[in-house]
Short mmCIF file of all heavy atoms in Angstrom, two decimals:
data_model
loop_
_atom_site.label_atom_id
_atom_site.label_comp_id
_atom_site.label_asym_id
_atom_site.label_seq_id
_atom_site.Cartn_x
_atom_site.Cartn_y
_atom_site.Cartn_z
N THR A 57 -53.98 39.89 117.11
CA THR A 57 -55.05 40.38 117.96
C THR A 57 -54.69 40.26 119.44
O THR A 57 -54.93 41.19 120.22
CB THR A 57 -56.34 39.61 117.67
OG1 THR A 57 -56.63 39.67 116.28
CG2 THR A 57 -57.51 40.19 118.44
N SER A 58 -54.09 39.14 119.82
CA SER A 58 -53.69 38.99 121.23
C SER A 58 -52.58 39.97 121.60
O SER A 58 -52.55 40.48 122.73
CB SER A 58 -53.26 37.55 121.51
OG SER A 58 -52.07 37.25 120.83
N LEU A 59 -51.68 40.26 120.66
CA LEU A 59 -50.62 41.24 120.92
C LEU A 59 -51.21 42.64 121.09
O LEU A 59 -50.80 43.38 121.99
CB LEU A 59 -49.59 41.22 119.79
CG LEU A 59 -48.42 42.19 119.94
CD1 LEU A 59 -47.57 41.80 121.13
CD2 LEU A 59 -47.61 42.24 118.67
N THR A 60 -52.16 43.01 120.24
CA THR A 60 -52.77 44.34 120.37
C THR A 60 -53.56 44.45 121.68
O THR A 60 -53.59 45.52 122.29
CB THR A 60 -53.68 44.66 119.18
OG1 THR A 60 -54.65 43.63 119.03
CG2 THR A 60 -52.87 44.81 117.90
N GLU A 61 -54.19 43.36 122.12
CA GLU A 61 -54.89 43.38 123.41
C GLU A 61 -53.89 43.53 124.56
O GLU A 61 -54.16 44.24 125.53
CB GLU A 61 -55.71 42.11 123.59
CG GLU A 61 -56.92 42.04 122.70
CD GLU A 61 -57.61 40.69 122.75
OE1 GLU A 61 -57.12 39.79 123.48
OE2 GLU A 61 -58.63 40.53 122.06
N PHE A 62 -52.76 42.85 124.44
CA PHE A 62 -51.73 42.97 125.48
C PHE A 62 -51.16 44.38 125.52
O PHE A 62 -50.93 44.95 126.59
CB PHE A 62 -50.61 41.95 125.22
CG PHE A 62 -49.45 42.10 126.15
CD1 PHE A 62 -49.55 41.68 127.47
CD2 PHE A 62 -48.26 42.65 125.71
CE1 PHE A 62 -48.47 41.82 128.33
CE2 PHE A 62 -47.18 42.80 126.57
CZ PHE A 62 -47.30 42.38 127.88
N LEU A 63 -50.90 44.96 124.35
CA LEU A 63 -50.32 46.30 124.29
C LEU A 63 -51.32 47.40 124.62
O LEU A 63 -50.94 48.56 124.74
CB LEU A 63 -49.70 46.54 122.92
CG LEU A 63 -48.45 45.72 122.61
CD1 LEU A 63 -47.97 45.98 121.21
CD2 LEU A 63 -47.36 45.99 123.62
N ALA A 64 -52.59 47.07 124.78
CA ALA A 64 -53.59 48.06 125.18
C ALA A 64 -53.54 48.33 126.68
O ALA A 64 -54.08 49.32 127.15
CB ALA A 64 -54.99 47.58 124.79
N HIS A 65 -52.85 47.48 127.44
CA HIS A 65 -52.71 47.67 128.88
C HIS A 65 -51.81 48.88 129.14
O HIS A 65 -50.81 49.08 128.45
CB HIS A 65 -52.10 46.40 129.51
CG HIS A 65 -52.17 46.39 130.98
ND1 HIS A 65 -51.19 46.96 131.77
CD2 HIS A 65 -53.11 45.90 131.83
CE1 HIS A 65 -51.51 46.81 133.02
NE2 HIS A 65 -52.68 46.16 133.09
N PRO A 66 -52.16 49.73 130.12
CA PRO A 66 -51.37 50.94 130.37
C PRO A 66 -49.90 50.67 130.72
O PRO A 66 -49.03 51.45 130.33
CB PRO A 66 -52.09 51.60 131.55
CG PRO A 66 -53.47 51.09 131.48
CD PRO A 66 -53.38 49.70 130.92
N LEU A 67 -49.62 49.59 131.44
CA LEU A 67 -48.23 49.29 131.77
C LEU A 67 -47.43 48.91 130.53
O LEU A 67 -46.26 49.29 130.38
CB LEU A 67 -48.17 48.17 132.81
CG LEU A 67 -46.81 47.90 133.43
CD1 LEU A 67 -46.27 49.14 134.12
CD2 LEU A 67 -46.89 46.75 134.41
N ALA A 68 -48.07 48.18 129.61
CA ALA A 68 -47.40 47.83 128.35
C ALA A 68 -47.17 49.09 127.51
O ALA A 68 -46.12 49.23 126.87
CB ALA A 68 -48.24 46.82 127.58
N LYS A 69 -48.14 50.00 127.53
CA LYS A 69 -47.97 51.26 126.80
C LYS A 69 -46.82 52.07 127.38
O LYS A 69 -46.07 52.71 126.64
CB LYS A 69 -49.25 52.08 126.84
CG LYS A 69 -50.32 51.58 125.92
CD LYS A 69 -51.51 52.50 125.95
CE LYS A 69 -52.60 52.01 125.03
NZ LYS A 69 -53.75 52.93 125.00
N LEU A 70 -46.69 52.03 128.70
CA LEU A 70 -45.59 52.75 129.34
C LEU A 70 -44.24 52.16 128.95
O LEU A 70 -43.27 52.89 128.71
CB LEU A 70 -45.77 52.72 130.85
CG LEU A 70 -44.89 53.65 131.67
CD1 LEU A 70 -45.16 55.10 131.30
CD2 LEU A 70 -45.13 53.43 133.14
N CYS A 71 -44.17 50.84 128.84
CA CYS A 71 -42.93 50.19 128.40
C CYS A 71 -42.62 50.53 126.95
O CYS A 71 -41.46 50.78 126.59
CB CYS A 71 -43.04 48.68 128.58
SG CYS A 71 -43.04 48.15 130.29
N VAL A 72 -43.63 50.56 126.11
CA VAL A 72 -43.44 50.94 124.71
C VAL A 72 -42.99 52.39 124.62
O VAL A 72 -42.11 52.74 123.81
CB VAL A 72 -44.73 50.71 123.89
CG1 VAL A 72 -44.63 51.32 122.51
CG2 VAL A 72 -45.01 49.22 123.78
N LEU A 73 -43.56 53.26 125.45
CA LEU A 73 -43.15 54.66 125.47
C LEU A 73 -41.70 54.81 125.93
O LEU A 73 -40.95 55.62 125.40
CB LEU A 73 -44.09 55.47 126.37
CG LEU A 73 -43.91 56.97 126.32
CD1 LEU A 73 -44.21 57.51 124.94
CD2 LEU A 73 -44.80 57.63 127.35
N GLY A 74 -41.29 53.99 126.91
CA GLY A 74 -39.89 54.01 127.34
C GLY A 74 -38.94 53.57 126.24
O GLY A 74 -37.87 54.15 126.05
N ALA A 75 -39.35 52.55 125.49
CA ALA A 75 -38.52 52.10 124.36
C ALA A 75 -38.48 53.16 123.26
O ALA A 75 -37.45 53.35 122.61
CB ALA A 75 -39.05 50.78 123.81
N ALA A 76 -39.60 53.85 123.07
CA ALA A 76 -39.64 54.92 122.06
C ALA A 76 -38.73 56.07 122.48
O ALA A 76 -38.00 56.63 121.66
CB ALA A 76 -41.06 55.42 121.87
N TRP A 77 -38.74 56.42 123.79
CA TRP A 77 -37.83 57.46 124.26
C TRP A 77 -36.38 57.04 124.05
O TRP A 77 -35.56 57.86 123.61
CB TRP A 77 -38.03 57.75 125.75
CG TRP A 77 -36.93 58.61 126.26
CD1 TRP A 77 -36.81 59.96 126.15
CD2 TRP A 77 -35.72 58.16 126.89
NE1 TRP A 77 -35.62 60.38 126.69
CE2 TRP A 77 -34.93 59.30 127.15
CE3 TRP A 77 -35.24 56.91 127.27
CZ2 TRP A 77 -33.69 59.22 127.77
CZ3 TRP A 77 -34.00 56.84 127.88
CH2 TRP A 77 -33.24 57.98 128.14
N ALA A 78 -36.06 55.79 124.36
CA ALA A 78 -34.69 55.32 124.19
C ALA A 78 -34.25 55.43 122.73
O ALA A 78 -33.15 55.89 122.44
CB ALA A 78 -34.56 53.88 124.68
N LEU A 79 -35.14 55.03 121.83
CA LEU A 79 -34.80 55.10 120.41
C LEU A 79 -34.63 56.55 119.95
O LEU A 79 -33.65 56.89 119.28
CB LEU A 79 -35.89 54.42 119.58
CG LEU A 79 -35.71 54.50 118.06
CD1 LEU A 79 -34.51 53.68 117.64
CD2 LEU A 79 -36.96 54.03 117.36
N LEU A 80 -35.55 57.41 120.33
CA LEU A 80 -35.50 58.80 119.88
C LEU A 80 -34.31 59.55 120.49
O LEU A 80 -33.62 60.30 119.79
CB LEU A 80 -36.81 59.51 120.22
CG LEU A 80 -38.02 58.99 119.45
CD1 LEU A 80 -39.30 59.54 120.05
CD2 LEU A 80 -37.91 59.34 117.99
N HIS A 81 -34.07 59.34 121.77
CA HIS A 81 -32.93 60.02 122.39
C HIS A 81 -31.61 59.50 121.82
O HIS A 81 -30.70 60.28 121.55
CB HIS A 81 -32.94 59.84 123.91
CG HIS A 81 -31.79 60.51 124.56
ND1 HIS A 81 -31.76 61.86 124.79
CD2 HIS A 81 -30.59 60.05 124.98
CE1 HIS A 81 -30.62 62.20 125.34
NE2 HIS A 81 -29.88 61.10 125.46
N HIS A 82 -31.51 58.20 121.66
CA HIS A 82 -30.27 57.63 121.12
C HIS A 82 -30.01 58.14 119.70
O HIS A 82 -28.87 58.44 119.34
CB HIS A 82 -30.35 56.10 121.15
CG HIS A 82 -29.03 55.43 121.04
ND1 HIS A 82 -28.14 55.37 122.08
CD2 HIS A 82 -28.44 54.79 120.00
CE1 HIS A 82 -27.06 54.72 121.68
NE2 HIS A 82 -27.21 54.37 120.43
N PHE A 83 -31.07 58.25 118.91
CA PHE A 83 -30.93 58.76 117.54
C PHE A 83 -30.50 60.22 117.54
O PHE A 83 -29.55 60.60 116.83
CB PHE A 83 -32.25 58.58 116.79
CG PHE A 83 -32.20 59.10 115.38
CD1 PHE A 83 -31.54 58.40 114.39
CD2 PHE A 83 -32.81 60.29 115.04
CE1 PHE A 83 -31.49 58.87 113.10
CE2 PHE A 83 -32.77 60.78 113.76
CZ PHE A 83 -32.10 60.07 112.78
N CYS A 84 -31.18 61.06 118.34
CA CYS A 84 -30.84 62.49 118.37
C CYS A 84 -29.44 62.72 118.91
O CYS A 84 -28.68 63.53 118.37
CB CYS A 84 -31.87 63.25 119.20
SG CYS A 84 -33.50 63.33 118.48
N ALA A 85 -29.08 62.01 119.98
CA ALA A 85 -27.73 62.16 120.54
C ALA A 85 -26.68 61.62 119.57
O ALA A 85 -25.59 62.17 119.47
CB ALA A 85 -27.63 61.46 121.88
N GLY A 86 -27.03 60.57 118.84
CA GLY A 86 -26.09 60.05 117.84
C GLY A 86 -25.83 61.05 116.74
O GLY A 86 -24.69 61.19 116.27
N LEU A 87 -26.87 61.77 116.32
CA LEU A 87 -26.67 62.83 115.32
C LEU A 87 -25.79 63.94 115.88
O LEU A 87 -24.95 64.51 115.17
CB LEU A 87 -28.02 63.40 114.88
CG LEU A 87 -28.88 62.50 114.01
CD1 LEU A 87 -30.20 63.19 113.69
CD2 LEU A 87 -28.17 62.11 112.73
N ARG A 88 -25.97 64.25 117.17
CA ARG A 88 -25.14 65.28 117.80
C ARG A 88 -23.68 64.85 117.81
O ARG A 88 -22.79 65.63 117.49
CB ARG A 88 -25.63 65.50 119.23
CG ARG A 88 -24.74 66.44 120.02
CD ARG A 88 -25.21 66.55 121.47
NE ARG A 88 -24.32 67.40 122.21
CZ ARG A 88 -23.30 66.98 122.94
NH1 ARG A 88 -23.06 65.69 123.04
NH2 ARG A 88 -22.53 67.83 123.57
N TYR A 89 -23.42 63.59 118.18
CA TYR A 89 -22.03 63.12 118.21
C TYR A 89 -21.43 63.04 116.82
O TYR A 89 -20.24 63.28 116.64
CB TYR A 89 -21.94 61.77 118.94
CG TYR A 89 -22.20 61.92 120.41
CD1 TYR A 89 -23.18 61.19 121.04
CD2 TYR A 89 -21.47 62.81 121.18
CE1 TYR A 89 -23.43 61.33 122.38
CE2 TYR A 89 -21.72 62.96 122.52
CZ TYR A 89 -22.70 62.22 123.12
OH TYR A 89 -22.94 62.39 124.45
N LEU A 90 -22.27 62.73 115.84
CA LEU A 90 -21.77 62.74 114.47
C LEU A 90 -21.38 64.15 114.05
O LEU A 90 -20.33 64.36 113.43
CB LEU A 90 -22.85 62.18 113.52
CG LEU A 90 -22.47 62.05 112.07
CD1 LEU A 90 -21.33 61.06 111.90
CD2 LEU A 90 -23.67 61.60 111.25
N ALA A 91 -22.20 65.14 114.41
CA ALA A 91 -21.87 66.54 114.10
C ALA A 91 -20.60 66.98 114.84
O ALA A 91 -19.78 67.72 114.29
CB ALA A 91 -23.04 67.44 114.44
N LEU A 92 -20.44 66.52 116.08
CA LEU A 92 -19.22 66.85 116.82
C LEU A 92 -17.99 66.21 116.17
O LEU A 92 -16.93 66.84 116.07
CB LEU A 92 -19.33 66.40 118.27
CG LEU A 92 -20.23 67.25 119.18
CD1 LEU A 92 -20.42 66.55 120.52
CD2 LEU A 92 -19.64 68.62 119.37
N ASP A 93 -18.12 64.98 115.72
CA ASP A 93 -16.99 64.29 115.09
C ASP A 93 -16.62 64.91 113.75
O ASP A 93 -15.45 64.87 113.35
CB ASP A 93 -17.31 62.81 114.89
CG ASP A 93 -17.29 62.04 116.19
OD1 ASP A 93 -16.73 62.56 117.19
OD2 ASP A 93 -17.84 60.91 116.23
N LEU A 94 -17.60 65.47 113.05
CA LEU A 94 -17.33 66.11 111.77
C LEU A 94 -16.94 67.58 111.93
O LEU A 94 -16.81 68.30 110.94
CB LEU A 94 -18.56 66.00 110.87
CG LEU A 94 -18.92 64.59 110.41
CD1 LEU A 94 -20.23 64.61 109.63
CD2 LEU A 94 -17.81 64.00 109.58
N HIS A 95 -16.77 68.03 113.18
CA HIS A 95 -16.37 69.40 113.51
C HIS A 95 -17.37 70.43 112.99
O HIS A 95 -16.99 71.52 112.57
CB HIS A 95 -14.96 69.69 113.01
CG HIS A 95 -13.93 68.77 113.56
ND1 HIS A 95 -13.51 68.81 114.86
CD2 HIS A 95 -13.26 67.73 112.98
CE1 HIS A 95 -12.62 67.85 115.07
NE2 HIS A 95 -12.45 67.18 113.95
N LEU A 96 -18.65 70.06 113.01
CA LEU A 96 -19.68 71.02 112.63
C LEU A 96 -20.11 71.89 113.80
O LEU A 96 -20.66 72.96 113.60
CB LEU A 96 -20.90 70.27 112.06
CG LEU A 96 -20.64 69.44 110.80
CD1 LEU A 96 -21.88 68.67 110.41
CD2 LEU A 96 -20.17 70.34 109.67
N LEU A 97 -19.87 71.42 115.02
CA LEU A 97 -20.16 72.18 116.22
C LEU A 97 -18.84 72.54 116.87
O LEU A 97 -18.04 71.67 117.20
CB LEU A 97 -21.02 71.36 117.19
CG LEU A 97 -22.36 70.90 116.66
CD1 LEU A 97 -23.01 69.94 117.63
CD2 LEU A 97 -23.26 72.09 116.41
N HIS A 98 -18.61 73.83 117.05
CA HIS A 98 -17.32 74.28 117.56
C HIS A 98 -17.44 74.78 118.98
O HIS A 98 -18.37 75.51 119.32
CB HIS A 98 -16.76 75.41 116.68
CG HIS A 98 -16.54 74.99 115.26
ND1 HIS A 98 -15.54 74.15 114.89
CD2 HIS A 98 -17.22 75.28 114.14
CE1 HIS A 98 -15.60 73.94 113.59
NE2 HIS A 98 -16.62 74.63 113.11
N GLY A 99 -16.51 74.40 119.78
CA GLY A 99 -16.37 74.95 121.11
C GLY A 99 -17.38 74.44 122.12
O GLY A 99 -18.25 73.62 121.84
N LEU A 100 -17.21 74.98 123.31
CA LEU A 100 -18.07 74.59 124.42
C LEU A 100 -19.50 75.09 124.24
O LEU A 100 -20.45 74.41 124.60
CB LEU A 100 -17.48 75.14 125.72
CG LEU A 100 -18.13 74.72 127.02
CD1 LEU A 100 -18.10 73.20 127.16
CD2 LEU A 100 -17.42 75.38 128.18
N ALA A 101 -19.64 76.26 123.65
CA ALA A 101 -20.98 76.81 123.44
C ALA A 101 -21.79 75.94 122.48
O ALA A 101 -22.99 75.71 122.70
CB ALA A 101 -20.88 78.24 122.90
N GLY A 102 -21.16 75.44 121.43
CA GLY A 102 -21.84 74.54 120.49
C GLY A 102 -22.23 73.23 121.13
O GLY A 102 -23.30 72.68 120.87
N ALA A 103 -21.35 72.72 121.98
CA ALA A 103 -21.65 71.46 122.67
C ALA A 103 -22.81 71.62 123.63
O ALA A 103 -23.70 70.77 123.71
CB ALA A 103 -20.41 70.96 123.41
N ARG A 104 -22.83 72.73 124.36
CA ARG A 104 -23.93 72.96 125.31
C ARG A 104 -25.24 73.20 124.59
O ARG A 104 -26.29 72.69 124.99
CB ARG A 104 -23.59 74.13 126.21
CG ARG A 104 -22.57 73.78 127.25
CD ARG A 104 -22.34 74.90 128.22
NE ARG A 104 -21.37 74.48 129.24
CZ ARG A 104 -20.65 75.31 129.94
NH1 ARG A 104 -20.78 76.61 129.76
NH2 ARG A 104 -19.81 74.85 130.84
N ALA A 105 -25.20 73.99 123.53
CA ALA A 105 -26.43 74.27 122.78
C ALA A 105 -26.99 73.01 122.14
O ALA A 105 -28.20 72.77 122.17
CB ALA A 105 -26.17 75.34 121.72
N SER A 106 -26.11 72.19 121.58
CA SER A 106 -26.58 70.96 120.95
C SER A 106 -27.12 69.98 121.99
O SER A 106 -28.05 69.22 121.70
CB SER A 106 -25.47 70.32 120.13
OG SER A 106 -24.39 69.91 120.95
N SER A 107 -26.58 70.01 123.20
CA SER A 107 -27.11 69.16 124.27
C SER A 107 -28.53 69.57 124.62
O SER A 107 -29.40 68.72 124.83
CB SER A 107 -26.23 69.26 125.51
OG SER A 107 -24.96 68.75 125.26
N LYS A 108 -28.76 70.88 124.70
CA LYS A 108 -30.12 71.36 124.98
C LYS A 108 -31.08 70.95 123.88
O LYS A 108 -32.21 70.53 124.14
CB LYS A 108 -30.11 72.88 125.13
CG LYS A 108 -29.42 73.36 126.37
CD LYS A 108 -29.38 74.87 126.41
CE LYS A 108 -28.53 75.34 127.58
NZ LYS A 108 -28.37 76.80 127.59
N TRP A 109 -30.61 71.05 122.64
CA TRP A 109 -31.47 70.67 121.51
C TRP A 109 -31.78 69.18 121.53
O TRP A 109 -32.90 68.76 121.22
CB TRP A 109 -30.82 71.06 120.18
CG TRP A 109 -31.08 72.49 119.83
CD1 TRP A 109 -30.22 73.54 119.94
CD2 TRP A 109 -32.31 73.02 119.33
NE1 TRP A 109 -30.84 74.68 119.54
CE2 TRP A 109 -32.12 74.40 119.15
CE3 TRP A 109 -33.54 72.47 119.03
CZ2 TRP A 109 -33.13 75.23 118.68
CZ3 TRP A 109 -34.54 73.30 118.55
CH2 TRP A 109 -34.34 74.66 118.38
N VAL A 110 -30.81 68.36 121.85
CA VAL A 110 -31.03 66.92 121.89
C VAL A 110 -32.09 66.57 122.93
O VAL A 110 -33.02 65.81 122.66
CB VAL A 110 -29.70 66.16 122.18
CG1 VAL A 110 -29.96 64.75 122.62
CG2 VAL A 110 -28.82 66.17 120.96
N LEU A 111 -31.96 67.15 124.12
CA LEU A 111 -32.95 66.88 125.17
C LEU A 111 -34.33 67.38 124.76
O LEU A 111 -35.34 66.68 124.94
CB LEU A 111 -32.51 67.52 126.48
CG LEU A 111 -31.35 66.85 127.18
CD1 LEU A 111 -30.98 67.62 128.43
CD2 LEU A 111 -31.68 65.42 127.53
N ALA A 112 -34.40 68.58 124.22
CA ALA A 112 -35.70 69.16 123.86
C ALA A 112 -36.37 68.38 122.74
O ALA A 112 -37.56 68.04 122.83
CB ALA A 112 -35.51 70.62 123.45
N VAL A 113 -35.62 68.07 121.69
CA VAL A 113 -36.20 67.38 120.54
C VAL A 113 -36.60 65.96 120.90
O VAL A 113 -37.70 65.50 120.53
CB VAL A 113 -35.21 67.40 119.34
CG1 VAL A 113 -35.67 66.48 118.23
CG2 VAL A 113 -35.07 68.82 118.82
N SER A 114 -35.76 65.25 121.63
CA SER A 114 -36.10 63.87 121.97
C SER A 114 -37.31 63.82 122.92
O SER A 114 -38.17 62.95 122.77
CB SER A 114 -34.91 63.14 122.57
OG SER A 114 -34.53 63.72 123.80
N LEU A 115 -37.39 64.75 123.86
CA LEU A 115 -38.55 64.76 124.75
C LEU A 115 -39.82 65.18 124.00
O LEU A 115 -40.90 64.64 124.25
CB LEU A 115 -38.30 65.67 125.94
CG LEU A 115 -37.31 65.12 126.96
CD1 LEU A 115 -37.07 66.14 128.06
CD2 LEU A 115 -37.80 63.82 127.54
N LEU A 116 -39.71 66.13 123.09
CA LEU A 116 -40.87 66.55 122.30
C LEU A 116 -41.37 65.41 121.44
O LEU A 116 -42.58 65.14 121.37
CB LEU A 116 -40.52 67.76 121.44
CG LEU A 116 -41.62 68.25 120.52
CD1 LEU A 116 -42.75 68.87 121.34
CD2 LEU A 116 -41.09 69.24 119.52
N LEU A 117 -40.47 64.71 120.79
CA LEU A 117 -40.87 63.57 119.96
C LEU A 117 -41.46 62.44 120.81
O LEU A 117 -42.41 61.78 120.38
CB LEU A 117 -39.68 63.06 119.15
CG LEU A 117 -39.20 63.99 118.03
CD1 LEU A 117 -37.93 63.43 117.40
CD2 LEU A 117 -40.27 64.18 116.98
#
Side-chain angles (χ1 to χ4, degrees):
T57 306
S58 67
L59 180 66
T60 55
E61 289 172 359
F62 174 75
L63 291 177
H65 192 272
L67 190 59
K69 284 184 180 182
L70 192 62
C71 290
V72 170
L73 188 63
W77 169 81
L79 176 68
L80 293 169
H81 180 79
H82 198 75
F83 179 75
C84 292
L87 289 178
R88 174 184 178 265
Y89 291 124
L90 183 63
L92 285 171
D93 287 344
L94 293 175
H95 302 288
L96 299 175
L97 300 171
H98 300 288
L100 187 59
R104 286 185 177 157
S106 64
S107 295
K108 291 177 187 175
W109 276 103
V110 164
L111 288 177
V113 169
S114 64
L115 287 177
L116 177 69
L117 290 174

